Amino acid sequence: QVQLEESGGGLVQAGDSLKLSCTASGDTNCIAAMGWYRQAPGKERELVAGITDGGATKYQSSVKGRFTISRDTAKNMLFLQMNSLQSDDSADYYCFADARPWCSGYTSGYWGQGTLVTVSS
């Protein structure tokens, strides 16, 4: 199994920056692509940014140019640098990892417990 733990959330003002971190532990060889999702109250969970194990990235259109996803495979860590934060960015942010086909969790992937980001305007 894989455990994911997020950190770095908090209360910031609009225009500020914040960096989220996700630390993976357990069967980390099972981790393929990773990503950050977020869920605001009353809304569905949505993909914010993703990164393959080859380093290719993708972003939700609303965060392009403001957020940067990166990973340190050697340290089993995932990051999300968030700049120019807006009130619409307020949400619980979740770390996610795709599982390799031979691993448990292949059909569901692995999720962290989430870290809350609140942006005041």
Side-chain angles (χ1 to χ4, degrees), residues 1-108:
Q1 269 290 359
V2 172
Q3 294 79 44
L4 302 174
E5 183 174 1
E6 304 94 338
S7 61
L11 173 63
V12 297
Q13 293 186 333
D16 284 352
S17 297
L18 206 58
K19 186 173 185 177
L20 305 183
S21 299
C22 172
T23 302
S25 59
D27 295 329
T28 56
N29 288 332
C30 283
I31 295 175
M34 299 186 76
W36 289 96
Y37 284 73
R38 67 185 180 188
Q39 186 168 21
K43 295 187 177 181
E44 294 187 355
R45 191 171 295 189
E46 60 181 7
L47 176 66
V48 177
I51 185 167
T52 68
D53 45 3
T57 59
K58 62 179 178 181
Y59 296 92
Q60 181 191 106
S61 59
S62 68
V63 307
K64 278 183 181 178
R66 299 189 298 123
F67 290 12
T68 302
I69 189 171
S70 61
R71 67 191 289 181
D72 184 333
T73 304
K75 295 183 178 180
N76 297 311
M77 295 191 71
L78 179 71
F79 305 99
L80 185 67
Q81 176 67 47
M82 305 185 292
N83 299 329
S84 304
L85 283 161
Q86 306 166 356
S87 56
D88 287 350
D89 296 318
S90 296
D92 284 304
Y93 283 72
Y94 297 90
C95 178
F96 172 79
D98 276 325
R100 299 193 188 279
W102 56 85
C103 296
S104 65
Y106 175 60
T107 56
S108 59

